[in-house]
Amino acid sequence: MRAFFIIASAVAGAVLTGCSVGPDYKRPAAIQNQPQPKAFTVTTEGTNVVVWKVAEPSANAPRGEWWQMFGDTNLNCLELMASTNNQNLVAAAAQLEQSRDILAETRSRYYPQLTAGGTPNGDINRQHTSQNEPEQGAPAGVSHNYYTFTAPVYLGWEIDLWGRVRRQTEAARAQYVASADDLESARLDVAAETADDYFTLKTLDAQYNLIADTIDSYRHSLELTQNRRRGGVATDLDVAQAQTQLDSALAQLPDIQLRRADTLHALAIICGQSPVDFYMSTNATETTNVPVIPTSLPSDLLEHRPDVAAAERLMAAANANVGVAKAAFFPAVSINGLAGFQSINAGTWFNWSSRLWSVGPNIELPLFTGGFNRANLAAAHAAYDQQVATYRQTVLTAFGQVEDQLAAQKLLADEWSAQNEAATAAGRALDIANNRYKEGLVTYLDVVTAQTTALNEESSAVQLQGQRYTAAVNLIKALGCDWQQTEQ
């Protein structure tokens, strides 16, 4: 055993002075020859040189219940239900747990592995020797039957001289953090999709109410026209036109109901509920707040995006895998040991005189692999380059999505305001057309035209309001959190 401790001490010293081959991880530089927006740059201390701001992904930062900004109790209940019961979130949480276990498995390779029992010949083995087995160059001439009783403990320990295990652990840790970011990304997606479907449902209910109110108005118009026809003031054409307007409006209700049913079923699935009996009233007549968006947002908010953080961690994992592939070019050193008891008699199996042990180093040096190691290293470098490009593309996509939604916020608000004025004007035009028709100054065609215009303008206003809700949700999703987060 003294020899074992001497070897172990020597190996421990080698480990402490060992190195990790392969490149140490550094975040890649920004894409060259790209313009540097002021919102994403800083000035180098003591100089006037403007450089890209170095990002510090913080996907684990709390996002809070951002949907509370809309002030809708139904939405709050749906978000709670989705965050608790959504099965995609359950799957992402299980993926995170798997990554944590893989990290623990990789880190276990730092330590010696002890295994009891399980010898190639079995712990208790009945043997028969051959009469013709060689003995001093001649057949033995005699055979034997006997038992072998063995109780071994095996020791195996790879000495991480070149940092292969350290790089593997580094990659596994980065993968674990990326899985945590993926879980946050899934939570953000589920919350945003829940809000988006709810506002779609609310918009459909508002459209349904609008059409239902319009149908009541069209029925009164039809009754008026029929009465005027009986009085000889109106014509059959006027009655037919009024009936056509009513039937056309009635035909729109089933389409709205079908789209509402599809949206409701999708909302139920997101919330982890059966769509069979799921029901949700949106109180379409109640106003839901549209959050006020600031004219400019700090670039730091983009660091909350979990997909950006996950892409950065996957890049770090790919970098560590380059070190793992490079370590394959160097000798693999391990310590193998065996200790236990062995006897041909069960009665003396565990006697002190039956003890056995052996310990010694094992060195494997790759002399010729047919280009396998070089190809594996080249593949690891290519995988890293791929992750770098993916990370940069993710960041560029994030910038684009934020810019899209910021533009949508302003332009949709302007369009909605103008559309409301158009709807108001169309309503006044309809009132004038109805009054002139009752006075016999115009035909019913003018009323039909005014009715169609008023309905289209009001319907467009309702749809634009729904688009404003969706744009606000999409902006929060694009930022990774709400814009108030940095102020808290």
Side-chain angles (χ1 to χ4, degrees):
M1 298 300 293
R2 182 181 301 172
F4 171 76
F5 287 115
I6 292 174
I7 295 175
S9 299
V11 169
V15 170
L16 293 176
T17 59
C19 61
S20 296
V21 297
D24 292 330
Y25 175 67
K26 294 180 181 178
R27 290 195 181 96
I31 301 177
Q32 299 300 318
N33 301 323
Q34 290 292 312
Q36 298 177 333
K38 293 181 180 180
F40 307 113
T41 58
V42 294
T43 303
T44 305
E45 185 176 356
T47 69
N48 293 324
V49 178
V50 177
V51 296
W52 282 95
K53 179 184 180 297
V54 179
E56 294 293 339
S58 53
N60 57 345
R63 290 173 176 78
E65 298 178 345
W66 51 263
W67 48 87
Q68 298 278 359
M69 292 188 301
F70 294 96
D72 194 307
T73 55
N74 287 330
L75 176 60
N76 297 341
C77 293
L78 288 172
E79 292 289 358
L80 177 61
M81 193 182 304
S83 63
T84 304
N85 302 321
N86 184 269
Q87 294 305 298
N88 286 335
L89 293 184
V90 175
Q95 179 66 39
L96 175 61
E97 184 65 28
Q98 181 184 8
S99 298
R100 181 188 292 113
D101 295 336
I102 291 175
L103 174 59
E105 174 191 346
T106 306
R107 292 183 62 182
S108 69
R109 299 171 189 171
Y110 281 122
Y111 308 102
Q113 307 295 313
L114 296 176
T115 305
T119 64
N121 295 326
D123 291 345
I124 301 176
N125 188 43
R126 176 69 171 173
Q127 298 185 18
H128 175 80
T129 63
S130 170
Q131 291 186 11
N132 294 319
E133 68 176 346
E135 182 177 319
Q136 296 181 354
V142 61
S143 62
H144 303 280
N145 294 321
Y146 61 94
Y147 284 96
T148 300
F149 298 88
T150 308
V153 175
Y154 293 98
L155 167 68
W157 185 23
E158 179 182 350
I159 311 306
D160 195 26
L161 292 176
W162 316 110
R164 186 181 71 89
V165 176
R166 276 168 282 179
R167 292 300 192 191
Q168 287 178 332
T169 303
E170 182 182 334
R173 185 179 295 109
Q175 290 279 0
Y176 166 65
V177 176
S179 294
D181 295 335
D182 288 341
L183 176 58
E184 291 300 320
S185 183
R187 286 173 177 163
L188 182 60
D189 288 344
V190 167
E193 189 173 355
T194 300
D196 189 25
D197 283 353
Y198 173 73
F199 288 129
T200 299
L201 202 67
K202 191 177 182 71
T203 301
L204 289 171
D205 285 349
Q207 285 183 309
Y208 186 92
N209 293 338
L210 173 63
I211 298 299
D213 293 341
T214 301
I215 287 173
D216 290 338
S217 176
Y218 285 179
R219 282 198 175 102
H220 292 311
S221 296
L222 177 60
E223 291 174 0
L224 173 64
T225 306
Q226 289 172 337
N227 291 334
R228 289 172 61 83
R229 173 67 184 88
R230 283 190 289 268
V233 179
T235 66
D236 289 337
L237 177 60
D238 294 338
V239 175
Q241 289 174 332
Q243 184 68 55
T244 300
Q245 282 290 87
L246 175 60
D247 293 341
S248 177
L250 287 171
Q252 296 181 45
L253 291 182
D255 178 65
I256 295 175
Q257 290 174 318
L258 176 59
R259 286 186 287 158
R260 189 188 196 279
D262 292 342
T263 304
L264 185 66
H265 296 161
L267 192 57
I269 294 173
I270 294 173
C271 294
Q273 305 295 313
S274 170
V276 177
D277 299 320
F278 188 79
Y279 176 76
M280 170 57 62
S281 175
T282 62
N283 298 325
T285 56
E286 296 183 5
T287 302
T288 298
N289 299 330
V290 178
V292 178
I293 314 298
T295 56
S296 62
L297 294 171
S299 61
D300 294 350
L301 286 173
L302 284 177
E303 297 175 358
H304 289 255
R305 281 185 60 129
D307 59 335
V308 173
E312 191 271 337
R313 285 293 83 199
L314 291 177
M315 189 168 52
N319 182 82
N321 287 331
V322 173
V324 174
K326 195 167 185 178
F329 288 87
F330 298 87
V333 181
S334 60
I335 297 295
N336 297 319
L338 168 66
F341 296 89
Q342 186 177 59
S343 176
I344 62 173
N345 190 323
T348 60
W349 190 359
F350 293 101
N351 288 355
W352 186 245
S353 58
S354 299
R355 71 186 185 281
L356 61 87
W357 64 267
S358 67
V359 63
N362 180 62
I363 301 177
E364 290 186 32
L365 177 63
L367 297 178
F368 177 74
T369 60
F372 175 83
N373 287 342
R374 291 188 179 278
N376 193 38
L377 179 60
H381 278 293
Y384 172 74
D385 292 338
Q386 178 187 3
Q387 289 300 332
V388 170
T390 300
Y391 173 68
R392 287 172 170 167
Q393 184 64 32
T394 302
V395 174
L396 290 174
T397 301
F399 287 152
Q401 290 175 347
V402 171
E403 291 298 318
D404 288 345
Q405 299 310 318
L406 284 175
Q409 294 292 320
K410 181 181 184 307
L411 297 178
L412 283 175
D414 294 343
E415 185 179 1
W416 178 73
S417 178
Q419 188 63 51
N420 278 332
E421 294 179 1
T424 301
R428 290 196 300 267
L430 177 58
D431 292 339
I432 294 173
N434 280 324
N435 292 333
R436 289 173 62 83
Y437 175 69
K438 292 175 184 179
E439 295 172 0
L441 300 176
V442 296
T443 66
Y444 197 76
L445 179 60
D446 294 311
V447 176
V448 170
T449 302
Q451 286 176 335
T452 302
T453 301
L455 179 58
N456 290 339
E457 297 299 336
E458 291 180 10
S459 180
S460 296
V462 169
Q463 293 176 10
L464 282 172
Q465 182 71 346
Q467 292 177 24
R468 292 182 67 201
Y469 291 139
T470 300
V473 172
N474 289 339
L475 177 58
I476 294 171
K477 182 179 178 181
L479 291 171
C481 65
D482 71 80
W483 47 88
Q484 301 171 355
Q485 196 66 36
T486 55
E487 300 174 1
Q488 299 174 352

